[in-house]
Amino acid sequence: KTASAIVVLIEAGNEVVIAHGNGPQVGMIQNAMSELTRSNPEKYIPCPLSVCVAMSQGYIGYDLQNALREEMLDRGINTGCTTILTQVEVDANDPAFENPTKPIGAFMTKEEADKLVKEKGYKVVEDAGRGYRRVVASPKPKSIIEIDTIRSLVENDYVVVACGGGGIPVINRGGKLVGVSAVIDKDNVSSLLASKIGADYLVILTAVEKVAINFGKENQEWLSDLTVEQAKKYIAEEQFAKGSMLPKIESAVRFAESGEGRRTLITLLEKAADGIAGKTGTVIHK
């Protein structure tokens, strides 16, 4: 389903670079690795969260690039597709390390969440009315280590999957890249990636067709067109949920401000083509 919606854009002549989330998967991987270590501590050492992010990039990218390849071949498109394991530099002194906010893993009941807090010392939050999830540090991305490789592949007509799960979080310690315990927000890094490769459009595909203000209330209002100034006003009014829509709007604003003519579209996966055609979705621009 995902590949079909993306290949429609490729078939229309767009150059496409794909980033993706990994919240459920990275939590699943870390839980599995933690259980392995707990059951046999003499044989297995703890697996760092940065390595779990790398694992999620590899297996999600593997599935996604193969689905894209098959869909393109079915449509007679002979374009290469590849996944880049992408490291993203963050600041070791980012305050996010002191205040974890990024949800990962499966949704839990309050009882399940309380048990994790008591037994493992995890920080857990209620996530947008859908249940409880573990949260980890989510530092801001500074730079994309493999950006030149990504840019070169795009210039040679490859469809590229990059910055999966927000990128593998690393800090630069005297020229050496060292993984850190964090998950970078996928929307933040997608905005940075789009600006660095000179994209015209940042397309954020999510669970709603359009952005709304007063979401879930009687005076809820769907938005089709949003200027940067209007978006900042709504952010100041706390119109967008911190764990879901807020990072998308903030990333949309950053990209729209990063160069002339740059626009961000927020819409449903299956509405991506219609959104780019101006038929639906929310467009954020200067």
Side-chain angles (χ1 to χ4, degrees):
K1 181 181 175 182
T2 300
S4 178
I6 292 169
V7 173
V8 166
L9 304 180
I10 297 167
E11 193 173 34
N14 296 293
E15 294 176 311
V16 176
V17 178
I18 302 142
H20 59 79
N22 70 344
Q25 294 87 355
V26 74
M28 177 191 72
I29 291 167
Q30 188 171 55
N31 287 342
M33 300 305 287
S34 295
E35 183 60 27
L36 185 67
T37 304
R38 187 193 64 77
S39 63
N40 199 339
E42 295 180 0
K43 185 174 181 180
Y44 300 106
I45 62 171
C47 184
L49 185 53
S50 57
V51 175
C52 295
V53 173
M55 291 179 182
S56 74
Q57 277 194 2
Y59 99 75
I60 296 170
Y62 156 71
D63 278 337
L64 188 51
Q65 75 179 43
N66 279 346
L68 288 163
R69 178 180 177 273
E70 290 171 18
E71 187 70 25
M72 286 191 291
L73 288 175
D74 286 346
R75 294 170 183 256
I77 303 170
N78 295 308
T79 299
C81 182
T82 190
T83 299
I84 299 296
L85 290 185
T86 316
Q87 300 175 93
V88 175
E89 185 185 355
V90 300
D91 188 340
N93 298 314
D94 192 304
F97 288 108
E98 302 297 324
N99 181 34
T101 59
K102 179 65 176 174
I104 66 168
F107 287 96
M108 300 176 286
T109 64
K110 190 173 189 308
E111 291 72 24
E112 290 170 329
D114 288 343
K115 185 179 178 183
L116 272 184
V117 171
K118 183 178 179 180
E119 293 181 358
K120 297 190 176 183
Y122 287 172
K123 182 173 180 181
V124 175
V125 299
E126 195 275 332
D127 186 5
R130 296 176 291 176
Y132 291 79
R133 295 177 80 186
R134 180 190 173 193
V135 288
V136 298
S138 183
K140 291 287 190 288
K142 287 177 60 181
S143 66
I144 298 167
I145 304 301
E146 287 78 19
I147 191 63
D148 288 341
T149 303
I150 296 166
R151 193 180 289 120
S152 177
L153 287 164
V154 173
E155 289 171 355
N156 283 280
D157 297 323
Y158 277 81
V159 176
V160 182
V161 181
C163 293
I168 303 163
V170 296
I171 58 172
N172 191 322
R173 188 174 291 163
K176 180 182 179 181
L177 298 176
V178 180
V180 290
S181 183
V183 174
I184 303 165
D185 183 81
K186 64 184 179 297
D187 300 311
N188 282 337
V189 83
S190 296
S191 178
L192 179 62
L193 173 62
S195 65
K196 293 299 181 184
I197 62 173
D200 303 305
Y201 242 115
L202 170 63
V203 182
I204 298 177
L205 302 173
T206 186
V208 292
E209 188 168 343
K210 294 184 179 184
V211 175
I213 54 173
N214 303 312
F215 187 73
K217 300 176 182 178
E218 288 185 4
N219 59 339
Q220 176 176 301
E221 180 184 349
W222 297 107
L223 306 171
S224 298
D225 188 89
L226 197 56
T227 66
V228 165
E229 290 73 21
Q230 288 171 322
K232 288 180 177 179
K233 175 177 174 287
Y234 292 141
I235 290 170
E237 293 174 358
E238 298 185 350
Q239 285 280 359
F240 310 116
K242 289 184 179 179
S244 54
M245 188 55 73
L246 180 60
K248 293 172 174 52
I249 299 296
E250 290 176 333
S251 301
V253 167
R254 273 194 296 277
F255 179 69
E257 290 183 320
S258 68
E260 285 302 316
R262 291 182 171 177
R263 302 160 74 82
T264 302
L265 168 70
I266 300 177
T267 194
L268 288 166
L269 169 70
E270 56 268 30
K271 298 287 186 177
D274 284 345
I276 289 177
K279 297 177 182 177
T280 191
T282 302
V283 174
I284 295 93
H285 58 91
K286 280 188 179 179

